[in-house]
Amino acid sequence: MISSDNLELSLKDLSLDGSSSGGEDDNKILKWNLPLKELYRLACSFYKEKSGKAVHLSYEDNLKLVAFTQQAAHGPLDLSQAPPLGMFDVIGKDRRIAWQQLGTITKLQAMEGFIDLLDRLCPLFKPYVEAIKKDKEEKARRAEQEQIKRTEALAAEKERLEEQQRLEDEKNREELQRRQLQDALNQQTYHQFKEYAEIQFPGNPEQQAVLIRQLQNEHYHQYMQQLQAQVATNLARLKRVPGDDGNEDGDDQPTAVVCEKGTEVVEFASATAKENSQFEFKEQCDSDNDSGDYAVISPANMWTKPDIKLFKQEVMAGKGDGVIRVNHGDTVTVKVPTHEGGSCLFWEFATDSYDIGFGVYFEWGKPPTTEVSVHVSESDEDDDTIEEDEEVICAEDLECGTVQGGQMSSAGSGLGSRNPISIIIPIYRRECHQEVYAGSHTYPGEGTYLLKFDNSYSLWRPKTLYYKVFYTR
């Protein structure tokens, strides 16, 4: 039997990388569904590892296998090039004889002969190759799966980054629109709020600036609530059956938030708009209605103040207009004529313990007096009741919601000589016993403001009202 030393020596001359013979086409030769050279390398590794351990071969079989390896590594034996052998090197002579017997077979044929002979002599060789083959296929499958996972992960990460960027862009665009709208509203109300702040904190610019910012923020949030209410109204119109609202074609007309002359407005698109919350700025709005008799009324500004105790103390100390007791079932109307030197009306009010209804109306026409007056009417009296009058027009404001009638009709029918009246703020119950309610409105023209304090819904509770009204230039 060949010794392990001689076996290792014979395998040192073996080219395991397949570079000793043939070209690239040699790798296409398959045996057992594996490239021949790859299978030959596996056979040599198996023979080297198992010979003398798990596999025991005869001396002659080992000579044949070694001869195949020599032929596969160096080609046919050339005695002229072979080194001389010692006199007592019997094994070397036997190896040369076995090598010489292979004749002129090619290196690939020698590899195939080595594989076939080892397969016949060692039954464990083929299962060994199959196990390695399956392990290789499993590794390739896992590598392919990992590559697919990596590709999917990269695609998901790319999609996530794109979605994140899209959301960021959308957020920036909405923030830009919000700032543009808020800047436009701040420009409209700055002078009114500045005059109001100067009255509240005379000689204190820092407190004035803080109050102006608070009022502007409050005005912006109320303005947005109005816009959302208009969107909801437009959507409700879309759901109606065509013709139910008197429009036979079922078309929705655009609604708009009307502002002062020369200022920007936010106009809502009709039902076919891309998004309900989208709006665009207009350069100016008409200051006259269709009839040309009266100017369009701008919305009022409303806000609240927390210092209700201080406010009541100031009014009771004579620094305000006064204190009124509004009995149950009564409505008190404070009539405030427009002033020649004024441009904007301000009001503030609060009550003790309970809420009260509040609304603002405007009576067109030259006021008979310049003095502020207070009128009390019971719920069953109709001399001051204007809900049934055909000439009452509801202007759009932060609490009124959708425009009920955007323009003034000509004076005349139903009222005789009475001047037309527009609703600036409809009467709603206000929690004015918890905080001070305040507001302002730019003069729409010459006339008289009617500040309504309604306690007609109360069956037994009278209300103590504290109020202040003043104008700014």
Side-chain angles (χ1 to χ4, degrees):
M1 181 176 292
I2 188 169
S3 65
S4 60
D5 294 339
N6 289 330
L7 176 61
E8 290 177 1
L9 180 63
S10 66
L11 292 177
K12 286 180 182 179
D13 296 332
L14 181 62
S15 175
L16 295 179
D17 60 359
S19 61
S20 61
S21 64
E24 296 180 357
D25 294 339
D26 296 340
N27 290 325
K28 297 181 181 179
I29 301 176
L30 298 179
K31 188 173 181 65
W32 298 356
N33 293 325
L34 286 174
L36 180 60
K37 289 186 178 182
E38 181 179 350
L39 183 59
Y40 177 68
R41 284 194 293 269
L42 293 176
C44 291
S45 298
F46 176 82
Y47 178 60
K48 183 177 180 179
E49 293 174 4
K50 307 298 182 181
S51 181
K53 300 176 183 178
V55 176
H56 299 279
L57 303 177
S58 66
Y59 180 71
E60 289 77 10
D61 292 335
N62 279 323
L63 285 178
K64 292 178 182 179
L65 290 173
V66 172
F68 277 123
T69 61
Q70 294 288 351
Q71 189 82 359
H74 306 288
L77 175 62
D78 186 359
L79 294 176
S80 61
Q81 300 293 331
L85 297 174
M87 183 179 298
F88 299 101
D89 190 3
V90 179
I91 296 177
K93 291 179 181 180
D94 292 341
R95 288 170 55 194
R96 284 195 176 180
I97 292 173
W99 186 2
Q100 191 172 14
Q101 289 177 351
L102 295 178
T104 59
I105 63 174
T106 63
K107 293 181 179 181
L108 295 177
Q109 289 173 338
M111 293 179 186
E112 189 172 3
F114 180 87
I115 294 169
D116 291 338
L117 180 58
L118 184 63
D119 181 37
R120 289 198 306 271
L121 298 176
C122 303
L124 297 178
F125 172 60
K126 191 167 185 179
Y128 170 80
V129 173
E130 292 293 337
I132 292 179
K133 180 180 177 182
K134 289 182 180 180
D135 182 66
K136 181 179 179 181
E137 291 175 350
E138 180 65 18
K139 289 181 178 179
R141 186 185 65 81
R142 290 179 180 177
E144 183 178 1
Q145 290 181 346
E146 290 178 356
Q147 181 63 30
I148 293 175
K149 290 181 179 179
R150 284 194 296 268
T151 303
E152 292 177 349
L154 290 175
E157 180 66 14
K158 181 180 179 181
E159 184 178 356
R160 186 187 68 81
L161 293 176
E162 291 177 351
E163 180 66 14
Q164 183 178 358
Q165 183 64 35
R166 186 189 67 79
L167 293 176
E168 187 69 20
D169 294 341
E170 182 69 18
K171 182 178 179 181
N172 293 336
R173 184 165 56 252
E174 292 178 355
E175 178 65 17
L176 178 61
Q177 291 179 347
R178 186 194 69 80
R179 290 182 180 179
Q180 289 176 346
L181 175 59
Q182 192 166 13
D183 290 343
L185 295 176
N186 291 345
Q187 290 178 5
Q188 295 178 20
T189 59
Y190 174 75
H191 295 290
Q192 297 177 14
F193 290 154
K194 184 175 185 301
E195 293 175 351
Y196 177 77
E198 289 175 349
I199 296 174
Q200 296 297 318
F201 302 101
N204 193 336
E206 293 182 359
Q207 289 293 334
Q208 293 175 10
V210 171
L211 179 58
I212 291 173
R213 285 195 298 269
Q214 292 176 350
L215 295 177
Q216 288 177 337
N217 289 336
E218 182 71 18
H219 179 245
Y220 169 75
H221 290 303
Q222 293 178 351
Y223 203 91
M224 292 305 298
Q225 291 175 0
Q226 179 190 11
L227 299 184
Q228 294 172 0
Q230 287 186 316
V231 171
T233 302
N234 290 341
L235 289 178
R237 289 178 180 176
L238 277 178
K239 296 179 181 179
R240 295 178 185 173
V241 179
D244 286 353
D245 56 355
N247 185 2
E248 296 180 356
D249 296 332
D251 295 334
D252 282 319
Q253 298 298 325
T255 60
V257 178
V258 186
C259 67
E260 300 177 36
K261 180 178 179 179
T263 59
E264 295 178 336
V265 301
V266 181
E267 182 177 272
F268 271 71
S270 62
T272 58
K274 294 181 179 179
E275 294 182 357
N276 297 330
S277 61
Q278 289 182 339
F279 48 82
E280 58 180 287
F281 290 105
K282 295 294 184 180
E283 293 297 330
Q284 62 180 12
C285 58
D286 295 333
S287 61
D288 296 330
N289 58 14
D290 291 341
S291 64
D293 294 332
Y294 299 98
V296 175
I297 292 185
S298 62
N301 301 315
M302 289 284 290
W303 63 92
T304 59
K305 296 168 51 178
D307 50 351
I308 186 169
K309 291 184 179 179
L310 179 60
F311 172 75
K312 291 179 181 179
Q313 292 173 0
E314 291 178 353
V315 174
M316 288 189 296
K319 298 181 180 180
D321 290 83
V323 181
I324 302 176
R325 179 181 175 87
V326 185
N327 292 322
H328 60 86
D330 288 352
T331 298
V332 171
T333 303
V334 178
K335 296 186 177 182
V336 185
T338 56
H339 196 277
E340 293 182 358
S343 62
C344 182
L345 176 69
F346 282 84
W347 61 83
E348 296 177 350
F349 67 92
T351 57
D352 287 336
S353 304
Y354 304 105
D355 62 359
I356 197 168
F358 174 75
V360 179
Y361 297 74
F362 187 79
E363 184 177 0
W364 298 86
K366 184 175 180 62
T369 178
T370 58
E371 298 296 329
V372 177
S373 59
V374 178
H375 298 264
V376 180
S377 62
E378 296 182 357
S379 58
D380 57 351
E381 296 181 4
D382 57 0
D383 55 338
D384 279 339
T385 302
I386 61 176
E387 285 77 0
E388 302 297 329
D389 293 342
E390 296 180 357
E391 295 298 322
V392 174
I393 307 299
C394 179
E396 203 167 18
D397 73 293
L398 295 176
E399 297 187 9
C400 182
T402 307
V403 177
Q404 303 297 325
Q407 298 169 341
M408 302 297 302
S409 61
S410 59
S413 61
L415 288 178
S417 60
R418 186 171 183 176
N419 293 328
I421 297 177
S422 296
I423 301 178
I424 299 175
I425 300 176
I427 297 177
Y428 292 143
R429 293 175 66 172
R430 319 286 175 164
E431 301 294 332
C432 51
H433 60 292
Q434 298 178 352
E435 53 188 351
V436 180
Y437 273 70
S440 67
H441 187 258
T442 303
Y443 287 177
E446 194 174 29
T448 302
Y449 283 95
L450 308 178
L451 277 60
K452 297 281 185 177
F453 297 96
D454 183 12
N455 196 32
S456 60
Y457 57 86
S458 180
L459 298 179
W460 61 81
R461 289 195 182 100
K463 311 292 173 62
T464 301
L465 172 68
Y466 305 80
Y467 77 96
K468 293 167 63 175
V469 289
F470 54 92
Y471 69 91
T472 58
R473 299 182 184 275

